[in-house]
Amino acid sequence: MKIEQAYTIVTSPGRNFVTLKIVTDQGEYGIGDATLNGREMAVVAYLEEHVIPTLIGRDPQRIEDIWHYLYRGAYWRRGPVTMTAIAAVDMALWDIKAKLAEMPLYQLLGGKSRDRVMVYGHATGRDIDACLEEVARHVDEGYKAVRVQAGIPGIASIYGVAKKDGEPYEPADADLPAEHVWSTSKYLNHVPKLFAAVRERFGDDLHVLHDVHHRLTPIEAARLGKEVEPYHLFWLEDCVPAENQEAFGLIRQHTTTPLAVGEVFNSLFDAKTLIENQWIDYIRTTLTHAGGITHVRRIADLAGLYHVRTGFHGPTDLSPVCLGAAIHFDTWVPNFGIQEYMPHTSATDEVFPHDYRFENGHFIVGETPGHGVDIDEQLAKQYPYKRASLPVNRLEDGTLWHW
Ligand SMILES: O=C(O)[C@H](O)[C@@H](O)[C@H](O)[C@H](O)CO
Ligand SMILES: [Mg+2]
């Protein structure tokens, strides 16, 4: 069996998605997600110019060999563009292999470790009251876990909070990056009040999470972790930028609040020190941005040795192809923690027909051979690519900060 053809499909049903389709000489095909939010066309160019021409004629069943060919063979290792391109190939090849085996992907990985996959949804509001209403809506819809992000008095625009209450949040909202103003002290003073209000209204059973989105220093993160300890967060996410993995050692010494990190990682080596020192509790790296199933499986296996569980990234800027494959992975992986879930628009769901379903706060994996997600290429053509950039943050004095 040979790979006969491979091509990228760029579509924007509300937001941009990049999909790689690989077709064999026997007519079987697989698809992989190659979406890197705000940098989509860099991955398209990498795939079209450097990856696809080397795939033609190869045996699609040799997933491991193709992975190493693309990783080692490039000489230039790692990086989000390279690893997203490799991930798309890997996901498409696992899709093909599972279709050939006539099995849903989770069976090939080792079968079910659980019947359903717990997810967390996003509650966001311009102020605490609006945010609590959104938490209530999620609880009514059956969610067992909710991420809570509220506007901060004195900060006009902040990550995770929609411009208007009730609207879906979409960060890549401008052709060129919007500029926001950030104040660490206003943020740190407000967040504990938010979680006090959440616990007072919803009691102890609901799992609550919070995303700091990389904006603190280690000692500030330690303070926040300590101050929210009484509210028993499921996790505190990305409390500092993580290029310097040692920084987490300091945070860990100060707080028992569980720590999650890794949505921007693209390699096992981004997480190795964090995992081996047991400085984190959840690893968030998902399939699309870190070399696909083949590589993320290695990360999860290492994590399992150190009591670190998975908590895959799942915003709307990963396509249903990534989400579908992730649900298979989540259903199998022994050290599963939780799966992030931001519902896609109905236009996106139509372009990407899928067999996973949401039920009572959980995803239920489908039984279709492969990863269970397809793309309607005709419909995809109706939504042309439109450049969209993520915002940047500046401190009140104008210094460029982390967004
Ligand atoms: O926890 C999350 O879901 C993330 O922080 C996202 O919302 C990122 O900001 C987005 O993926 C950037 O493109
Ligand atoms: Mg995040």
Side-chain angles (χ1 to χ4, degrees):
M1 182 178 293
K2 286 189 166 65
I3 296 175
E4 194 172 75
Q5 200 195 2
Y7 53 95
T8 56
I9 303 154
V10 183
T11 181
S12 193
R15 65 155 2 279
N16 295 319
F17 295 110
V18 180
T19 307
L20 175 70
K21 183 161 182 171
I22 298 181
V23 187
T24 74
D25 59 353
Q26 323 233 324
E28 197 54 271
Y29 69 89
I31 59 172
D33 180 24
T35 310
L36 184 61
N37 198 15
R39 293 292 184 269
E40 294 87 355
M41 300 314 278
V43 185
V44 172
Y46 192 93
L47 282 166
E48 289 186 348
E49 183 65 17
H50 305 293
V51 173
I52 290 173
T54 70
L55 293 178
I56 309 304
R58 274 175 208 283
D59 179 353
Q61 296 170 103
R62 296 183 61 173
I63 300 177
E64 194 70 48
D65 181 66
I66 290 176
W67 196 94
H68 289 281
Y69 180 84
L70 295 174
Y71 183 81
R72 295 181 183 163
Y75 184 67
W76 310 106
R77 298 181 184 208
R78 303 163 59 181
V81 174
T82 303
M83 297 304 276
T84 300
I86 296 177
V89 173
D90 188 78
M91 231 180 282
L93 295 181
W94 278 98
D95 193 24
I96 291 173
K97 196 181 269 299
K99 285 175 176 171
L100 293 174
E102 295 180 23
M103 287 180 184
L105 175 61
Y106 74 81
Q107 291 288 15
L108 275 193
L109 294 173
K112 285 189 180 183
S113 296
R114 57 197 55 78
D115 302 325
R116 54 190 185 276
V117 164
M118 183 168 75
V119 306
Y120 70 91
H122 288 195
T124 131
R126 304 284 305 164
D127 58 25
I128 292 181
D129 285 345
C131 200
L132 295 185
E133 289 314 306
E134 275 295 289
V135 177
R137 181 176 68 79
H138 281 82
V139 171
D140 288 347
E141 288 175 10
Y143 284 87
K144 311 292 175 236
V146 184
R147 190 189 87 162
V148 188
Q149 310 285 137
I152 306 292
I155 300 184
S157 292
I158 182 169
Y159 162 76
V161 179
K163 285 188 185 130
K164 273 202 196 138
D165 286 336
E167 276 184 1
Y169 172 66
E170 179 53 68
D173 61 353
D175 179 33
L176 295 176
E179 302 224 350
H180 296 172
V181 178
W182 172 251
S183 160
T184 297
S185 59
K186 291 186 175 106
Y187 171 79
L188 282 176
N189 290 336
H190 195 68
V191 173
K193 294 178 195 155
L194 170 65
F195 282 93
V198 170
R199 280 291 177 229
E200 193 180 302
R201 172 145 170 204
F202 297 95
D204 291 331
D205 286 345
L206 183 68
H207 296 304
V208 294
L209 302 83
H210 184 70
D211 189 350
V212 182
H213 222 253
H214 324 269
R215 290 166 302 203
L216 299 179
T217 66
I219 200 68
E220 290 162 355
R223 166 182 156 190
L224 181 62
K226 247 173 128 159
E227 290 187 4
V228 297
E229 271 173 26
Y231 314 117
H232 299 147
L233 268 58
F234 186 96
W235 78 35
L236 190 67
E237 174 184 335
D238 284 341
C239 55
V240 294
E243 290 99 323
N244 177 3
Q245 298 182 46
E246 276 74 14
F248 275 78
L250 185 145
I251 304 163
R252 195 62 151 180
Q253 281 167 21
H254 289 282
T255 180
T256 57
T257 296
L259 303 174
V261 70
E263 66 182 42
V264 301
F265 293 176
N266 51 71
S267 157
L268 171 64
F269 295 99
D270 293 329
K272 185 171 174 287
T273 308
L274 289 169
I275 292 170
E276 288 174 345
N277 286 289
Q278 295 180 242
W279 286 334
I280 58 169
D281 301 280
Y282 296 93
I283 179 76
R284 289 192 30 74
T285 316
T286 193
L287 309 176
T288 295
H289 297 145
I293 292 156
T294 299
H295 191 63
V296 174
R297 188 161 66 164
R298 304 219 149 90
I299 301 178
D301 279 343
L302 177 72
L305 300 179
Y306 296 93
H307 304 278
V308 176
R309 293 189 281 163
T310 63
F312 281 177
H313 194 203
T316 38
D317 50 82
L318 290 158
S319 89
V321 182
C322 177
L323 183 60
I327 292 166
H328 283 268
F329 195 103
D330 295 336
T331 299
W332 156 72
V333 71
N335 48 321
F336 172 73
I338 200 165
Q339 167 69 50
E340 181 178 16
Y341 175 41
M342 271 178 94
H344 288 108
T345 62
S346 52
T348 299
D349 283 337
E350 280 162 25
V351 171
F352 295 96
H354 52 263
D355 69 351
Y356 55 78
R357 62 179 209 277
F358 175 78
E359 216 176 84
N360 200 22
H362 296 78
F363 273 125
I364 316 289
V365 75
E367 295 296 330
T368 315
H371 55 46
V373 187
D374 210 337
I375 181 163
D376 181 335
E377 291 182 61
Q378 287 314 314
L379 192 56
K381 284 191 186 131
Q382 291 180 18
Y383 301 103
Y385 167 77
K386 189 165 168 260
R387 186 172 58 195
S389 302
L390 293 168
V392 299
N393 256 345
R394 289 188 186 276
L395 300 181
E396 286 159 308
D397 69 358
T399 308
L400 195 87
W401 197 243
H402 317 285
W403 166 67

